[in-house]
Amino acid sequence: MNPYCSSLTMAEVVPVVPSYASPTKQPPKITSIKILAESPDLITIPASYTFTPNSHDLVVSDTEGAIPVIDYSLLISSSPDHRSKIIHDLGKACQEWGFFMVINHGVPEKLMRSMIDACKGFFDLSEEEKQEYTGSHVLDPIRCGTSFNTSVEKVFCWRDFLKVFVHPVFHSPSKPVGLSDTMLEYSKRVKEVTRELLKGISESLGLEADYIENALNFERGLQISIANYYPPCTEPELAMGLPCHSDHGLLTLLIENGVSGLQVQHKGKWVNLNSIPNSFLVNTGDHLEILSNGKFKSILHRAVVNKNNTRISIAMAHGPSLDTVVSPAPELLDRESKAPAYIGIKYEEYVNLQQSNKLDGKSCLDRVRI
């Protein structure tokens, strides 16, 4: 966010045999999209990775200037005027886009680069080393794999992943050297940025600054690091890194390695995103939509791939504590004299529901609409 992981391990996944240059050559066993993409004999992608293009999926040109930009330094400013203005902008971004970029956030650029490099090092490990961390359940604290949920998907995503629960209890793979220390420092810094963003969002809703933090037990909230690996694809127009979906949780903060591929849906069209250097790409999640009773919609987004470059993105997803029941804020309902538009649901139950199925727009959120 996130764009989260499958319930099948890398060791168990053997997709349909792809098309190779020589029909007599024995194809290698495929345990990840990285292995498939690096095969010198691959000419066309397998049918099991081919998405049917939708003629209604209009993509507009890059609109970097139109995407909301939030200056974090103003959000934590001691100037009431500066803070009031940025809180207004933050609420407007959540309501009109469900997406914004955050600049001047104080997380060192060196740390952000180190996080990307460390995750790249994980994907460069041997398949045997990575299989130590495959996991088997959507709530396993460390899990790597391919696609999203290969046990239910008919078409696989052009993506490998590493998913790690980093809060309220920190977990990390022990390989490669340095990954654990980097991930710990990075996750702490990003959580503090998210905390301040949620305070601003609370105030933009007319609530107390600490409302979301206290009501959803953010101090013990689930924080997940999701590293995504999208290798070059010989036929990128046929494949998809991740299909259209919204994220569970409140906010997802994402960085990438300088290779773009994130698209968000805005006014019925897909917008290509180009991030400002050293910025966070932030999207709203389903549980912010539930809490705001639909005022702030979770954003639909997807990941596309390209022919020449490997894209690595790291999404840091933030949600309530697993045992928190999330429902529309009573204060908003009373103030606006509105009925709740969503039923309350325990966060753990929602995560299990979404992660155990295939990505399909807002199909999980639709289940709790009234």
Side-chain angles (χ1 to χ4, degrees):
M1 281 102 145
N2 282 305
Y4 310 127
C5 316
S6 77
S7 60
L8 202 61
T9 69
M10 295 178 67
E12 294 171 316
V13 177
V14 184
V16 177
V17 175
S19 301
Y20 287 86
S22 172
T24 60
K25 179 176 287 189
Q26 183 68 26
K29 180 181 179 181
I30 299 168
T31 58
S32 71
I33 197 61
K34 186 175 188 289
I35 288 181
L36 175 61
E38 291 175 353
S39 171
D41 299 316
L42 181 66
I43 295 178
T44 60
I45 67 173
S48 54
Y49 287 92
T50 301
F51 282 75
T52 302
N54 189 335
S55 59
H56 300 292
D57 276 354
L58 299 176
V59 178
V60 300
S61 60
D62 298 346
T63 58
E64 183 175 347
I67 293 169
V69 177
I70 300 300
D71 188 335
Y72 182 81
S73 67
L74 300 180
L75 187 63
I76 60 174
S77 169
S78 59
S79 167
D81 291 341
H82 286 164
R83 196 166 185 280
S84 176
K85 172 65 165 60
I86 206 67
I87 287 173
H88 173 270
D89 292 345
L90 185 55
K92 185 177 180 182
C94 289
Q95 187 166 11
E96 296 183 358
W97 276 82
F99 175 87
F100 50 92
M101 277 188 277
V102 175
I103 61 173
N104 298 327
H105 44 70
V107 180
E109 185 175 3
K110 182 179 179 180
L111 178 59
M112 298 170 76
R113 289 199 306 267
S114 295
M115 183 64 177
I116 291 174
D117 291 343
C119 290
K120 180 181 183 300
F122 178 86
F123 290 116
D124 286 340
L125 295 174
S126 69
E127 295 305 298
E128 290 74 21
E129 290 175 299
K130 285 184 283 190
Q131 284 172 16
E132 296 179 30
Y133 307 105
T134 50
S136 60
H137 187 271
V138 295
L139 291 180
D140 283 342
I142 303 176
R143 200 153 46 89
C144 66
T146 192
S147 192
F148 177 77
N149 188 348
T150 52
S151 64
V152 298
E153 292 168 317
K154 294 182 179 179
V155 180
F156 301 142
C157 305
W158 200 263
R159 170 231 194 194
D160 291 335
F161 65 82
L162 169 65
K163 173 183 175 182
V164 182
F165 287 17
V166 293
H167 191 85
V169 178
F170 178 76
H171 302 271
S172 173
S174 60
K175 304 173 185 178
V177 174
L179 172 61
S180 181
D181 290 343
T182 300
M183 186 175 289
L184 177 60
E185 177 63 19
Y186 179 76
S187 61
K188 286 180 177 179
R189 298 294 295 264
V190 175
K191 187 173 180 65
E192 286 310 305
V193 172
T194 304
R195 189 191 305 273
E196 294 299 327
L197 290 173
L198 289 175
K199 287 181 179 179
I201 290 172
S202 284
E203 292 186 71
S204 75
L205 287 167
L207 303 169
E208 294 294 326
D210 294 335
Y211 183 89
I212 294 177
E213 182 175 354
N214 293 333
L216 302 186
N217 196 8
F218 183 74
E219 185 57 39
R220 291 195 55 78
L222 185 63
Q223 184 186 25
I224 313 172
S225 172
I226 309 101
N228 302 294
Y229 184 91
Y230 306 103
C233 179
T234 55
E235 297 176 291
E237 69 281 359
L238 299 180
M240 185 66 68
L242 276 173
C244 170
H245 67 283
S246 62
D247 292 348
H248 64 71
L250 299 167
L251 294 176
T252 300
L253 278 67
L254 181 139
I255 59 175
E256 51 193 8
N257 65 335
V259 179
S260 59
L262 178 64
Q263 296 180 340
V264 300
Q265 195 173 89
H266 181 61
K267 296 182 177 180
K269 296 182 178 180
W270 289 104
V271 179
N272 294 309
L273 298 179
N274 295 315
S275 60
I276 298 172
N278 197 33
S279 67
F280 287 114
L281 301 171
V282 184
N283 66 268
T284 55
D286 292 347
H287 290 80
L288 189 57
E289 177 169 336
I290 293 172
L291 179 127
S292 68
N293 203 38
K295 182 174 183 179
F296 293 166
K297 299 288 194 298
S298 57
I299 184 68
L300 288 170
H301 54 289
R302 66 186 184 184
V304 297
V305 295
N306 70 84
K307 198 168 188 175
N308 301 312
N309 299 302
T310 294
R311 177 174 180 253
I312 296 175
S313 70
I314 300 170
M316 196 67 73
H318 301 81
S321 63
L322 285 172
D323 59 357
T324 296
V325 175
V326 184
S327 55
E331 291 82 353
L332 295 180
L333 301 179
D334 294 342
R335 189 179 67 208
E336 299 175 4
S337 299
K338 289 185 177 180
Y342 308 86
I343 62 172
I345 184 172
K346 185 183 288 189
Y347 186 46
E348 181 176 7
E349 181 182 345
Y350 192 97
V351 173
N352 265 314
L353 182 64
Q354 190 202 52
Q355 299 295 292
S356 299
N357 291 279
K358 65 179 181 178
L359 287 182
D360 184 19
K362 289 191 175 186
S363 60
C364 189
L365 186 62
D366 289 340
R367 298 192 187 191
V368 298
R369 296 184 196 274
I370 296 176

